[in-house]
C-alpha cells in the first residue's frame, strides 16, 4: 500500500501527475460532447495535474471562441484527407447558420430570418446532398469502421512524444481518440503507466450508430486493448457488459463533469428552458413543446433538429447557439428541462451540465419501463430533480409542482458532478486498483 499512499499524498500536496488527454475533434467546436471534454480537462487542471492535449486542428470548422482554451500544451493535428479537404473548404457555403446576438433577441420577430433561410435552403440542400453521397461513398471505402476519422487517426498516430505519462485518457465521442492511443502505445510513440477510455456513448449500440460488423469488430478491439473503460450511464454499462463480455470486468460508470453556469439570486417570472438537440429518432420533444404552447408557459428551446417547431408568443425556438449566448439564456430561465432518449439508456449530457446550477431541473423520462426506472433510481438519490413521464399530463403536473414550490425550495449544485470531483475519482480509481 506504500505506492498508492504516495500517489494520494502527491495529489493532496499538488505535486504534478502527468496526464495526456486525447480527443478526436477540436475542443473549440460548439458541441455537447466538447462541453463535457473541456469539463474533464478543467477538473484535471483544477486538481493540480499536468495535462497535455492531443486533438484535431480546426480544419475549417466553425470555431466558437466562447469555448475554453486552457493554459496547457495542445498538440493540434489536421484530419483532412484528399477529398474532405475540399468539402470542408466549401462547408460554410452549404450551411447557413444564424444565432441570437444577445439575450434581447429572445422576443424578437423571427419571420424575416426564417424567410431568408428558407429561400436558400432548397438550393443549398440539393448541392449538399450530392456532395454527401460522393463523400460517404469515398470514406466508407478508405476509412472502414472509422470512416472520415481515418485521416486524423493516420496523422495523429505518427506523433512521437518524449514525455512519460502517469495516465493517458482517451475520450470519445468521436471514438477515433481510442484508436489513436492504441496505435501510439503499441508503436511506443508515447509512454504511459496507465490508459483509460471514457465512452460518453457506445459505438455499435449507439442510438445514432451504424450497425455493421466492421464497427462491432473495431469496438471490440478497442475495448480489449483498454486497461479501464468508463461509461456515463448505468444502463449503458449494463448493456455493454452483456454485449462485450470479454471486457466486462474493465467497465465502470463515471458521471460527466458539469459545466459552469451563470446564476444570480434575483426573483424571476416562471420560465422554462430546453437547451440541446432533439432529433426525432433520438428524443421526442413534442409533448413538452405542446404542453408549454397550449398552456402558454413561457419557454425557450435551443437546439438543432429535424422537427419544425414554430415559435409562438410564449414558446421561442431556435437552432444551436454559442456557449456565451447559451449562458445568457440559461441565466434568464428558472427551470431547466431534460428529455431522456427514446430507447437504449444513454444519458444526454445536459442533465449533468444542468446539475451545476441552482435551477429546478425537470427530468422527462422516456424509453422502456425498465430504462425509465433505472435512470430514475440513478439520479433520485441526489434529491435534486423533478421527474415525470413524457406525456402532456405528466409534464403539466410536474411544471405546476415546480411553480408552486419555486420560492421555498433551495436547489444546490451536485458536488459529485463537479469537474474536480470527477477528475479526482477518475485518477484515484486507477491508482487504487493498481495496489488491489
Amino acid at each position: 500500500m506504500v505506492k498508492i499512499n504516495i500517489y494520494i499524498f502527491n495529489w493532496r500536496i499538488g505535486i504534478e501527475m502527468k496526464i495526456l488527454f486525447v480527443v478526436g475533434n477540436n475542443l473549440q467546436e460548439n458541441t455537447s460532447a466538447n462541453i463535457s471534454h473541456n469539463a474533464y480537462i478543467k477538473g484535471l487542471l483544477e486538481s493540480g495535474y499536468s495535462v497535455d492535449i492531443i486533438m484535431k486542428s480546426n480544419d475549417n470548422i466553425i470555431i466558437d471562441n466562447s469555448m475554453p482554451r486552457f493554459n496547457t500544451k495542445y498538440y493540434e493535428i489536421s484530419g483532412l484527407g484528399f477529398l474532405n479537404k475540399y468539402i470542408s473548404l466549401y462547408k460554410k457555403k452549404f450551411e447557413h447558420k444564424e444565432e441570437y446576438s444577445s439575450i434581447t433577441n429572445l422576443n424578437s420577430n423571427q419571420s424575416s430570418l426564417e424567410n431568408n433561410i428558407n429561400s436558400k435552403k432548397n438550393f443549398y440542400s440539393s448541392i449538399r446532398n450530392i456532395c454527401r453521397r460522393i463523400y460517404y461513398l469515398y470514406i466508407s471505402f478508405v476509412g472502414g469502421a472509422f470512416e472520415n476519422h481515418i485521416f486524423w487517426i493516420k496523422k495523429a498516430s505518427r506523433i512521437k512524444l518524449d514525455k512519460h505519462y502517469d495516465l493517458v485518457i482517451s475520450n470519445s465521442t468521436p471514438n477515433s481518440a481510442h484508436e489513436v492511443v492504441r496505435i501510439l502505445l503499441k508503436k511506443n510513440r508515447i509512454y504511459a503507466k496507465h490508459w483509460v477510455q471514457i465512452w460518453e456513448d457506445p459505438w455499435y449500440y449507439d442510438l445514432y450508430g451504424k450497425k455493421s460488423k466492421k464497427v462491432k469488430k473495431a469496438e471490440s478491439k478497442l475495448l480489449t486493448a483498454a486497461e479501464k473503460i468508463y461509461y456515463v450511464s448505468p444502463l449503458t454499462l449494463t448493456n455493454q457488459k452483456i454485449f462485450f463480455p470479454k471486457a466486462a470486468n474493465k467497465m465502470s460508470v463515471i458521471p460527466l463533469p458539469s459545466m459552469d453556469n451563470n446564476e444570480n439570486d434575483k426573483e424571476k417570472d416562471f420560465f422554462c428552458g430546453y437547451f440541446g438537440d432533439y432529433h426525432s429518432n433520438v428524443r421526442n420533444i413534442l409533448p413538452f413543446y405542446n404542453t408549454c404552447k397550449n398552456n402558454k408557459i413561457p419557454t425557450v428551446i435551443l437546439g438543432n433538429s429535424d422537427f419544425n417547431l414554430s415559435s409562438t408568443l410564449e414558446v421561442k425556438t431556435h437552432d444551436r447557439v454559442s456557449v456565451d449566448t447559451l449562458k445568457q439564456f440559461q441565466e434568464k430561465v428558472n427551470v431547466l428541462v431534460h428529455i431522456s432518449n427514446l430507447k437504449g439508456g444513454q444519458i444526454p449530457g445536459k442533465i449533468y451540465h444542468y446539475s451545476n446550477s441552482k435551477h429546478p431541473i425537470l427530468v422527462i423520462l422516456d424509453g422502456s419501463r425498465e430504462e425509465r426506472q433505472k435512470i430514475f433510481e440513478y439520479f433520485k438519490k441526489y434529491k435534486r430533480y423533478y421527474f415525470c413521464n413524457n406525456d402532456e399530463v405528466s409534464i403539466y403536473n410536474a411544471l405546476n409542482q415546480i411553480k408552486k414550490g419555486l420560492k421555498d425550495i433551495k436547489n444546490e449544485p451536485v458536488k459529485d458532478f463537479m469537474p474536480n470531483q470527477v477528475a479526482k475519482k477518475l485518477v484515484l480509481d486507477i491508482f487504487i486498483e493498481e495496489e488491489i
Side-chain angles (χ1 to χ4, degrees):
M1 294 298 293
V2 174
K3 191 184 291 185
I4 183 60
N5 287 336
I6 290 172
Y7 274 113
I8 293 175
F9 180 72
N10 285 351
W11 158 62
R12 284 175 176 165
I13 66 174
I15 293 177
E16 286 189 346
M17 181 182 293
K18 294 181 177 64
I19 296 175
L20 178 64
F21 195 92
V22 184
V23 290
N25 53 12
N26 187 285
L27 289 169
Q28 287 192 288
E29 186 178 6
N30 184 356
T31 67
S32 56
N34 274 340
I35 291 172
S36 300
H37 298 161
N38 282 306
Y40 279 117
I41 296 166
K42 180 175 184 286
L44 292 167
L45 292 170
E46 285 179 346
S47 300
Y49 307 131
S50 171
V51 182
D52 291 345
I53 299 166
I54 295 177
M55 70 175 189
K56 185 182 287 187
S57 59
N58 65 26
D59 289 348
N60 299 308
I61 64 172
I62 299 172
I63 292 296
D64 183 348
N65 289 319
S66 55
M67 297 287 277
R69 179 87 179 188
F70 301 102
N71 184 24
T72 191
K73 177 65 177 176
Y74 287 81
Y75 298 93
E76 299 184 51
I77 300 159
S78 173
L80 293 182
F82 174 73
L83 183 58
N84 65 352
K85 178 178 180 180
Y86 295 101
I87 288 186
S88 294
L89 288 172
Y90 290 97
K91 185 177 179 182
K92 291 180 182 179
K93 292 187 178 182
F94 296 153
E95 295 182 359
H96 185 79
K97 291 182 180 289
E98 297 280 350
E99 69 172 47
Y100 293 104
S101 58
S102 70
I103 194 70
T104 56
N105 295 114
L106 181 66
N107 296 314
S108 64
N109 190 331
Q110 296 186 17
S111 60
S112 60
L113 170 64
E114 290 168 354
N115 290 337
N116 185 38
I117 293 174
N118 289 333
S119 66
K120 300 177 181 179
K121 188 174 289 185
N122 291 335
F123 173 72
Y124 286 131
S125 63
S126 61
I127 297 175
R128 185 170 61 245
N129 288 338
I130 293 170
C131 290
R132 278 178 176 170
R133 287 173 189 171
I134 297 170
Y135 178 58
Y136 284 112
L137 280 172
Y138 168 66
I139 63 171
S140 64
F141 176 72
V142 301
F146 293 98
E147 296 187 330
N148 62 317
H149 296 294
I150 196 65
F151 307 111
W152 185 76
I153 291 170
K154 287 181 176 180
K155 293 178 182 179
S157 59
R158 295 189 193 115
I159 193 171
K160 185 170 177 60
L161 304 180
D162 294 329
K163 290 185 182 179
H164 287 247
Y165 293 97
D166 297 289
L167 175 63
V168 177
I169 301 170
S170 53
N171 197 179
S172 61
T173 309
N175 43 59
S176 53
H178 305 312
E179 177 67 356
V180 165
V181 173
R182 186 190 70 80
I183 296 170
L184 289 174
L185 288 171
K186 183 179 179 180
K187 294 186 176 182
N188 294 320
R189 292 183 172 276
I190 58 172
Y191 300 94
K193 192 168 189 180
H194 299 284
W195 171 32
V196 301
Q197 298 175 359
I198 300 174
W199 291 77
E200 289 156 0
D201 293 309
W203 190 3
Y204 181 80
Y205 291 98
D206 183 13
L207 193 55
Y208 299 89
K210 293 183 178 180
K211 304 295 188 288
S212 68
K213 289 182 179 179
K214 61 184 179 182
V215 166
K216 191 171 185 180
K217 184 178 179 181
E219 183 174 8
S220 179
K221 186 176 182 179
L222 292 175
L223 298 177
T224 301
E227 177 184 346
K228 188 79 175 174
I229 303 156
Y230 288 98
Y231 297 101
V232 301
S233 164
L235 267 169
T236 299
L237 173 66
T238 299
N239 292 337
Q240 289 292 95
K241 283 186 172 184
I242 295 169
F243 301 145
F244 299 96
K246 291 182 180 179
N249 64 330
K250 306 177 184 181
M251 297 177 179
S252 299
V253 166
I254 195 166
L256 282 176
S258 54
M259 65 184 287
D260 294 330
N261 291 295
N262 292 346
E263 301 226 72
N264 60 52
D265 295 327
K266 68 180 182 182
E267 238 178 73
K268 311 168 193 172
D269 295 330
F270 191 73
F271 198 167
C272 298
Y274 175 89
F275 306 131
D277 295 343
Y278 49 97
H279 296 284
S280 59
N281 64 323
V282 178
R283 58 189 68 105
N284 181 14
I285 200 172
L286 290 178
F288 170 68
Y289 171 78
N290 289 332
T291 299
C292 297
K293 183 179 73 170
N294 296 336
N295 294 282
K296 295 181 169 51
I297 299 171
T299 302
V300 59
I301 297 172
L302 303 177
N304 296 334
S305 180
D306 56 342
F307 279 119
N308 186 20
L309 300 183
S310 58
S311 290
T312 68
L313 187 62
E314 286 81 19
V315 181
K316 303 300 179 185
T317 66
H318 199 274
D319 296 340
R320 181 183 290 271
V321 298
S322 73
V323 172
D324 277 350
T325 305
L326 176 63
K327 287 179 179 179
Q328 294 180 55
F329 282 112
Q330 187 160 317
E331 173 62 18
K332 188 172 179 66
V333 306
N334 50 17
V335 180
L336 297 170
V337 178
H338 165 93
I339 301 176
S340 298
N341 289 347
L342 292 168
K343 60 181 179 179
Q346 292 168 234
I347 299 176
K350 64 181 66 62
I351 191 171
Y352 291 109
H353 303 323
Y354 289 170
S355 300
N356 191 8
S357 75
K358 295 182 180 180
H359 291 69
I361 301 168
L362 175 61
V363 179
I364 301 175
L365 298 168
D366 213 332
S368 68
R369 179 180 294 183
E370 179 186 8
E371 289 167 348
R372 294 197 308 269
Q373 185 62 29
K374 285 195 174 182
I375 298 298
F376 171 73
E377 289 173 357
Y378 182 63
F379 286 104
K380 74 171 183 179
K381 60 181 176 284
Y382 296 105
K383 298 179 180 179
R384 178 67 183 83
Y385 311 94
Y386 297 83
F387 298 90
C388 70
N389 289 325
N390 198 11
D391 63 78
E392 292 182 37
V393 173
S394 297
I395 294 169
Y396 179 76
N397 290 338
L399 289 174
N400 266 346
Q401 180 189 358
I402 295 171
K403 188 174 183 179
K404 288 176 182 177
L406 205 57
K407 294 181 180 180
D408 302 322
I409 298 173
K410 300 298 181 185
N411 300 291
E412 296 297 331
V414 179
K415 291 183 180 179
D416 285 357
F417 300 162
M418 293 294 212
N420 61 341
Q421 293 298 315
V422 175
K424 288 172 185 175
K425 180 181 186 305
L426 177 69
V427 173
L428 290 177
D429 275 358
I430 299 304
F431 292 102
I432 287 172
E433 287 198 3
E434 183 182 72
E435 292 299 313
I436 295 175

